[in-house]
Amino acid sequence: RRYKIILYFLVFNFLCATNAFALLDNWSHWNLGQEALKMRDFKRAEVQFSYYLKHPEMHRHMFGIAYFGRGLTFQKMGNYGRAIEEYKMAIENDLHPTAKITDKAYMNIGAIYMKNKAYQDAIKAYSKAIESNSMNGLAHYYLGLAYLRDSQYEKAEKEAEEAKKLGVTFTVLSDELNKIKNNTGKTGKAQKTD
């Protein structure tokens, strides 16, 4: 009986120590994946980000981060369809208690749509990023840019103002809106610009 108690105690401490170690270690593979991306070593980046998915008992809370990293990898490779799939998985698995990535995943989805000139889809993605985190100034900025490209100038101006309130200092959106105002005298009446 005494040995059982000691055995239970040792097993309990081992399990607690293992889980504590996992929480301390949970960013190392993310960092290695980021380094691999910088070196354009996409295979190694994917392996590093996928580590969390292969160890769910210790890293379930990192699944969203893992899928987000994989999305970055495929986006940099130019495989945009796969990148969007990974970002959607990141959104579904955004479980980390402090590092939320839903808004960032939607931002990257929006960037892919902007690159492909799918402005309506970009507007939806950036709007969802703002739903997830209304204080994301960059989401407001890029939503404004998507509205601008889609000739929705008044909405673009509103988002430019919100982005500025949130500390975004980029000026391209405001500069383009000012050009449109100067050419037409009113924000909403200008022709579409590319």
Side-chain angles (χ1 to χ4, degrees):
R1 177 155 168 91
R2 183 179 290 167
Y3 293 114
K4 282 185 180 179
I5 292 172
I6 292 171
L7 181 62
Y8 287 135
F9 178 75
L10 291 174
V11 169
F12 176 76
N13 283 332
F14 173 76
L15 291 174
C16 288
T18 303
N19 287 334
F21 178 72
L23 290 175
L24 292 175
D25 184 44
N26 67 4
W27 290 102
S28 63
H29 293 280
W30 169 261
N31 293 333
L32 291 170
Q34 288 293 319
E35 288 175 24
L37 277 180
K38 286 178 190 171
M39 296 185 307
R40 302 187 60 78
D41 186 347
F42 302 124
K43 185 67 179 162
R44 196 179 79 176
E46 185 180 358
V47 166
Q48 291 300 327
F49 295 132
S50 296
Y51 170 84
Y52 302 113
L53 303 175
K54 293 178 180 176
H55 298 89
E57 67 283 353
M58 292 174 48
H59 295 293
R60 179 73 181 104
H61 64 289
M62 293 295 287
F63 277 20
I65 304 293
Y67 286 117
F68 183 76
R70 289 166 53 97
L72 291 173
T73 303
F74 289 110
Q75 186 174 1
K76 286 198 178 225
M77 290 170 62
N79 187 343
Y80 300 126
R82 179 75 186 271
I84 289 172
E85 288 174 25
E86 296 291 334
Y87 289 134
K88 287 179 179 178
M89 289 298 294
I91 293 162
E92 287 177 29
N93 290 279
D94 191 6
L95 303 173
H96 197 281
T98 58
K100 296 296 182 189
I101 49 85
T102 294
D103 62 323
K104 294 162 193 64
Y106 279 124
M107 292 277 298
N108 284 21
I109 291 170
I112 292 169
Y113 288 137
M114 287 292 284
K115 183 174 180 71
N116 293 320
K117 298 184 180 187
Y119 303 125
Q120 287 293 316
D121 292 328
I123 289 167
K124 290 175 191 169
Y126 291 130
S127 295
K128 286 182 180 182
I130 292 168
E131 271 179 45
S132 173
N133 178 3
S134 62
M135 300 305 289
N136 185 332
L138 288 174
H140 286 281
Y141 179 83
Y142 287 111
L143 176 58
L145 218 55
Y147 279 136
L148 176 71
R149 297 291 179 252
D150 198 49
S151 302
Q152 298 183 49
Y153 303 119
E154 289 177 19
K155 290 180 180 180
E157 191 167 25
K158 177 183 169 269
E159 294 303 327
E161 290 170 14
E162 189 62 30
K164 189 174 182 178
K165 283 183 204 172
L166 293 170
V168 177
T169 59
F170 301 152
T171 61
V172 171
L173 178 56
S174 298
D175 292 347
E176 288 193 36
L177 286 167
N178 285 334
K179 284 181 193 175
I180 291 167
K181 279 184 187 178
N182 291 336
N183 289 338
T184 63
K186 189 172 180 186
T187 306
K189 301 290 183 192
Q191 296 296 315
K192 187 174 181 178
T193 60
D194 278 47

